[in-house]
Amino acid sequence: MKPSIFGYEAPTTLEDAIALLAGDTDALVLAGGQTLLPAMNFRAANPSLLVDIQHIQSLRGIAVGGDAIVVKAMVRHREFELDENVRRANPLIAEVVQHVAHVPIRNRGTVVGSLCHADPSAEMPLLLVLLDGSVIAQGPSGSREIAAEKFFQSFLTTARNHDEIVVEAHFPLPPAGAGWAFDEVTRRHGDYAVVGVGCVLSLNGGGRATGVRLAACGIADRPIRLKDAETILNGTTLGASDLDAAVAASVGAVTQPDDINVSQSYRRRALGTLIRRIVVKAAQRAEIVA
C-alpha cells in the first residue's frame, strides 16, 4: 500500500516547525521516520502534513554532563549507542540500545522519536523510566520538562501536546560504582520485547543492595517501575529468597492480555526469569561502597 496524499515542510528553525504544527491539527513530526512511514504506508497514520525536523541544527548533538546525558531530538540510535563519552558515563545505554531493532533501523531512527512513539514494548521508553529521566517539550507557549513516569500515559500515548516538539531527553547518570543490567525476551532478534527488564543498583560495605531501580517493558500499556520489588530488594544481600519475594511482588504488574505471540502467563514467567537474571548481573557489576 501507499500513503494518503500529504503535505511536506522542512523548516530550518524550531520556531517555524512549531508554527506549522500549531497551524494544522493533523500535522505530524517527521524525524527518523522508521515507525511513522511504515504506518503511513499501511494507512494506520494519515497526516495532512509532515513537518520534517532534520534540518534544524539546534536539534542535533549529545551532551554528557555531571548528572545527566542530554540527547537532542535528531540524535540517531546508532549515534547514541556508539558515542564513547556516553559509554563511559553510562555503559547501560549501549547495552540497551543494541537491542533496538537492527543496525539499519538504528542508523535512521531517533532516540527521541522512539520515546514519542511510546510503544510499551520498546527499549528507549523503558530506559528513560528506569533512570528517572525526563523530556523537554517546546510549543507556542514555551518549554516544559515532563518526567518520564508522567510522559508515558498509555499505549502509544504521551503527555506531549500536538503543537509541541520534544526537543531533548535527559538520561540521569547512575550513582558512581552502581551495577547495571538489561535483558529481554523476543520472538526474534530485533523484534519488540515480549518482556524486557532493566536494573540499576548499588552495594554498601556490608554487601547489601541500596538504591535498587527496576523497570519493565512489554508487560503493561507503558513502561513501568517495579516499585514493590525495589522495596523488597533494598537492604538485602539479594539472596534466592529475596529474589523470589521480588518476583512474587512483580507478577501482578503484568496486565498485557494474551495476544497472537504469547499468553499473559508466559509474560509473567518471563518477567520472573528476567528479574532474577538481571538483578544478579547488576550486583556482579557493582562496586562495593564502604
Side-chain angles (χ1 to χ4, degrees), residues 15 40 62 76 79 108-109 118 153 155 217 230 248 260 288:
E15 293 73 19
M40 290 172 61
I62 301 171
R76 316 283 182 180
E79 183 182 354
R108 290 296 301 170
Q153 296 186 332
F155 182 74
C217 66
E230 293 173 355
I260 193 172
I288 295 178

Side-chain angles (χ1 to χ4, degrees), residues 3-260:
S4 301
I5 294 174
F6 60 91
Y8 173 83
E9 295 286 350
T12 57
T13 69
L14 181 59
E15 293 73 19
D16 287 346
I18 291 171
L20 287 165
L21 286 178
D24 187 340
T25 57
D26 292 321
L28 292 177
V29 174
L30 173 65
Q34 297 304 289
T35 300
L36 176 57
L37 296 183
M40 290 172 61
N41 283 338
F42 282 106
R43 305 288 178 99
N46 295 286
S48 58
L49 173 68
L50 288 185
V51 180
D52 188 344
I53 62 173
Q54 67 174 314
H55 301 294
I56 302 175
Q57 292 304 311
S58 63
L59 299 183
R60 296 184 177 277
I62 301 171
V64 180
D67 59 355
I69 298 170
V70 178
V71 180
K72 296 287 188 176
M74 280 307 303
V75 171
R76 316 283 182 180
H77 285 111
R78 190 67 166 159
E79 183 182 354
F80 197 33
E81 177 185 3
L82 298 180
D83 189 289
E84 288 299 326
N85 292 326
V86 170
R87 283 176 175 253
R88 282 191 291 268
N90 187 357
L92 171 63
I93 288 171
E95 180 159 297
V96 173
V97 179
Q98 68 181 343
H99 290 274
V100 176
H102 302 279
V103 171
I105 301 297
R106 299 203 293 273
N107 282 336
R108 290 296 301 170
T110 62
V111 173
V112 171
S114 178
L115 298 177
C116 291
H117 181 56
D119 192 296
S121 296
E123 295 85 359
M124 286 297 97
L126 176 147
L127 181 63
L128 197 71
V129 168
L130 174 65
L131 297 176
D132 199 20
S134 62
V135 300
I136 303 297
Q138 188 164 331
S141 59
S143 63
R144 61 188 179 119
E145 184 171 9
I146 311 171
E149 290 196 79
K150 293 184 178 180
F151 183 67
F152 303 108
Q153 296 186 332
S154 185
F155 182 74
L156 306 184
T157 305
T158 71
R160 181 186 72 88
N161 294 327
H162 168 76
D163 58 0
E164 291 180 317
I165 293 176
V166 175
V167 296
E168 62 189 40
H170 294 190
F171 294 86
L173 299 181
W180 44 271
F182 171 82
D183 204 355
E184 66 182 19
V185 174
T186 60
R187 294 185 67 221
R188 295 172 298 265
H189 174 69
D191 283 2
Y192 280 113
V194 172
V195 178
V197 179
C199 177
V200 175
L201 60 82
S202 299
L203 295 178
N204 64 20
R208 294 184 177 274
T210 64
V212 178
R213 300 185 67 86
L214 278 168
C217 66
I219 67 171
D221 65 352
R222 72 198 80 179
I224 60 172
R225 288 270 302 280
L226 302 175
K227 294 185 177 181
D228 290 341
E230 293 173 355
T231 300
I232 289 169
L233 294 175
N234 270 313
T236 73
T237 58
L238 305 177
S241 60
D242 303 319
L243 294 173
D244 288 345
V247 169
S250 300
V251 293
V254 179
T255 57
Q256 281 282 71
D258 297 357
D259 60 32
I260 193 172

Side-chain angles (χ1 to χ4, degrees), residues 266-280:
Y266 179 88
R267 279 192 165 90
R268 287 175 173 155
R269 293 195 301 274
L271 176 65
T273 298
L274 290 176
I275 288 173
R276 292 183 176 91
R277 181 184 302 166
I278 67 113
V279 169
V280 170

